[in-house]
């Protein structure tokens, strides 16, 4: 089967799941159901696209298919921000705070942190992407430790407010946030088109990319900006989903079996949409909201991660 045929197959599955999601158990109450489910579907599309897009780019520039952008600590920083707000001004203030303000604060802080990290790491010659990953892991662990410490100090009732932020949810997405997120993703995608042609070469490794005339550090810095903005938008919109990127990117590699990143990014985005819509249907229709979508995705992604590690171990 050709790559185009595979993409059309994924697109057909995605459309079928979207139709099922929008119409199942509608009971003729279209005026009530369609707008609410439509917002969920748009949020799922934005989140799946942003995470898949950023993960494929991140794995290409790190030349490692078992890493995800969450390794640089953005998810941990998001939880630290939510916890600090509750710790300083209380859970009631967090719930009363404008969703737009919370979204802009979360995205802004995560992007600023990523920019400072990149600037610090790439200031000196000879620093490479692995220094960034190491420092990112350290910062992520630090943020998680501070978050855990603060959560033990706050009132148990206010901890419930933070607990809602620990897991991704598509049930209460605000329309204004969808518009801001859509604009952000489109702007990032437009900026990315200038550098898309370099990704196929970057996948060969740093030395080959330099020998073929690619300005390696220049391109990598800008791709890291793209990754940081996309992950920040998706996390601030619905919450952290740690293993989704790992899952959809590697499934895309195996299913599409191509080195062309335009095909991989589109395929991974479709797979991400399929995984999230399918997972949301399971949460709503099978588990009747007794669990969250991120639990299902992280469980499947964790099992797949172990499979990838065992597979790589055998190849050695």
């Amino acid at each position: 089967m050709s790559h185009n045929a595979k993409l059309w197959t994924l697109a057909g599955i995605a459309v079928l799941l979207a139709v099922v999601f929008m119409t199942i158990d509608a009971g003729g109450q279209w005026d009530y159901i369609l707008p609410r489910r439509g917002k969920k579907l748009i949020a799922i599309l934005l989140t799946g696209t942003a995470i898949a897009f950023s993960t494929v780019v991140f794995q290409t520039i790190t030349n490692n298919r078992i890493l995800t952008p969450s390794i640089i600590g953005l998810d941990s920083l998001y939880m630290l921000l939510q916890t600090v707000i509750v710790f300083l001004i209380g859970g009631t203030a967090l719930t009363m705070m404008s969703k737009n303000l919370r979204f802009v604060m979360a995205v802004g802080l995560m992007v600023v942190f990523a920019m400072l990290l990149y600037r610090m790491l790439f200031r000196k010659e000879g620093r490479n992407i692995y220094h960034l990953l190491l420092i990112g892991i350290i910062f992520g662990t630090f943020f998680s430790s501070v978050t855990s410490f603060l959560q033990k100090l706050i009132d148990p009732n206010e901890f419930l407010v933070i607990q809602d932020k620990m897991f991704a949810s598509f049930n209460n997405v605000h329309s204004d946030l969808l518009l801001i997120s859509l604009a952000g993703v489109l702007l990032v995608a437009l900026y990315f088109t200038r550098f898309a042609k370099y990704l196929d070469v970057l996948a060969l490794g740093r030395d080959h990319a330099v020998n073929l005339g690619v300005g390696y550090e220049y391109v990598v810095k800008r791709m890291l900006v793209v990754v940081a903005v996309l992950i920040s938008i998706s996390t601030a919109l619905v919450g952290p989903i740690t293993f989704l990127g790992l899952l959809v990117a590697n499934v895309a590699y195996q299913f599409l079996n191509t080195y062309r990143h335009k095909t991989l990014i589109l395929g991974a985005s479709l797979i991400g949409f399929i995984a999230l819509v399918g997972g949301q249907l399971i949460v709503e229709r099978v588990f009747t909201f007794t669990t969250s979508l991120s639990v299902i995705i992280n469980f499947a992604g964790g099992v797949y991660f172990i499979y990838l590690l065992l597979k790589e171990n055998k190849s050695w």
Side-chain angles (χ1 to χ4, degrees):
M1 187 184 294
S2 67
H3 297 144
N4 287 336
K6 290 179 179 179
L7 288 176
W8 279 112
T9 300
L10 290 174
I13 296 172
V15 170
L16 178 62
L17 282 175
V19 171
V20 171
F21 181 80
M22 292 293 290
T23 59
I24 189 170
D25 292 337
Q29 300 177 349
W30 302 109
D31 292 341
Y32 176 79
I33 289 176
L34 289 182
R36 284 156 181 79
R37 292 184 181 178
K39 286 195 296 184
K40 284 186 187 180
L41 202 63
I42 295 172
I44 287 172
L45 177 62
L46 288 173
T47 304
T49 300
I51 292 177
F53 191 160
S54 60
T55 302
V56 171
V57 172
F58 188 76
Q59 290 180 347
T60 297
I61 60 181
T62 58
N63 201 21
N64 192 317
R65 292 188 175 183
I66 63 172
L67 294 179
T68 63
S70 61
I71 199 170
I72 60 177
L74 293 180
D75 291 352
S76 301
L77 180 61
Y78 170 79
M79 284 310 306
L80 177 61
L81 173 63
Q82 306 300 318
T83 304
V84 167
I85 292 174
V86 173
F87 181 78
L88 294 177
I89 62 178
T92 304
L94 179 64
T95 55
M96 295 297 292
M97 185 183 295
S98 168
K99 289 187 177 182
N100 291 344
L101 177 60
R102 283 198 331 232
F103 179 82
V104 171
M105 283 177 57
V107 172
L109 183 61
M110 287 188 282
V111 171
V112 168
F113 165 72
M115 296 304 100
L116 290 175
L117 188 62
Y118 302 161
R119 186 176 181 82
M120 178 178 66
L121 264 292
F122 287 107
R123 181 181 298 173
K124 295 183 179 180
E125 293 293 331
R127 296 286 179 91
N128 57 38
I129 191 69
Y130 297 105
H131 286 90
L132 173 68
L133 300 180
L134 177 61
I135 300 300
I137 292 172
I138 294 171
F139 271 113
T141 304
F142 173 72
F143 293 151
S144 296
S145 299
V146 175
T147 300
S148 179
F149 174 72
L150 293 177
Q151 287 174 355
K152 289 178 171 60
L153 297 179
I154 64 177
D155 184 271
N157 294 321
E158 294 188 338
F159 175 74
L160 296 176
V161 177
I162 301 175
Q163 197 172 33
D164 289 338
K165 305 295 181 183
M166 292 180 178
F167 305 101
S169 174
F170 297 93
N171 296 322
N172 297 309
V173 179
H174 200 266
S175 300
D176 292 344
L177 299 185
L178 291 178
L179 293 175
I180 297 172
S181 301
L182 178 60
V185 172
L186 289 176
L187 287 173
V188 171
L190 185 63
Y191 178 75
F192 169 79
T193 55
R194 297 175 53 197
F195 304 95
K197 59 186 177 182
Y198 299 119
L199 285 183
D200 294 343
V201 181
L202 288 178
L204 299 174
R206 184 183 188 280
D207 293 338
H208 289 295
V210 171
N211 289 335
L212 291 171
V214 175
Y216 181 80
E217 289 194 2
Y218 177 82
V219 175
V220 166
K221 286 178 186 178
R222 278 142 189 83
M223 289 300 94
L224 287 172
V225 172
V226 168
V227 169
V229 174
L230 289 174
I231 287 298
S232 300
I233 289 173
S234 65
T235 304
L237 181 63
V238 299
I241 313 179
T242 305
F243 282 106
L244 178 64
L246 174 76
L247 185 64
V248 301
N250 281 278
V251 170
Y253 296 141
Q254 293 186 358
F255 180 67
L256 296 171
N257 193 25
T258 180
Y259 67 90
R260 295 185 180 278
H261 281 75
K262 291 182 180 178
T263 302
L264 286 173
I265 290 172
L266 180 57
S269 300
L270 289 170
I271 293 170
F273 179 77
I274 291 168
L276 289 177
V277 174
Q280 189 67 23
L281 283 171
I282 292 173
V283 169
E284 294 181 4
R285 307 299 162 185
V286 178
F287 293 105
T288 60
F289 295 100
T290 56
T291 187
S292 66
L293 176 60
S294 58
V295 171
I296 296 175
I297 295 294
N298 288 340
F299 173 76
V303 172
Y304 191 67
F305 179 71
I306 295 172
Y307 162 75
L308 290 175
L309 290 178
L310 294 175
K311 181 182 176 183
E312 290 294 324
N313 189 43
K314 286 183 180 179
S315 67
W316 293 339

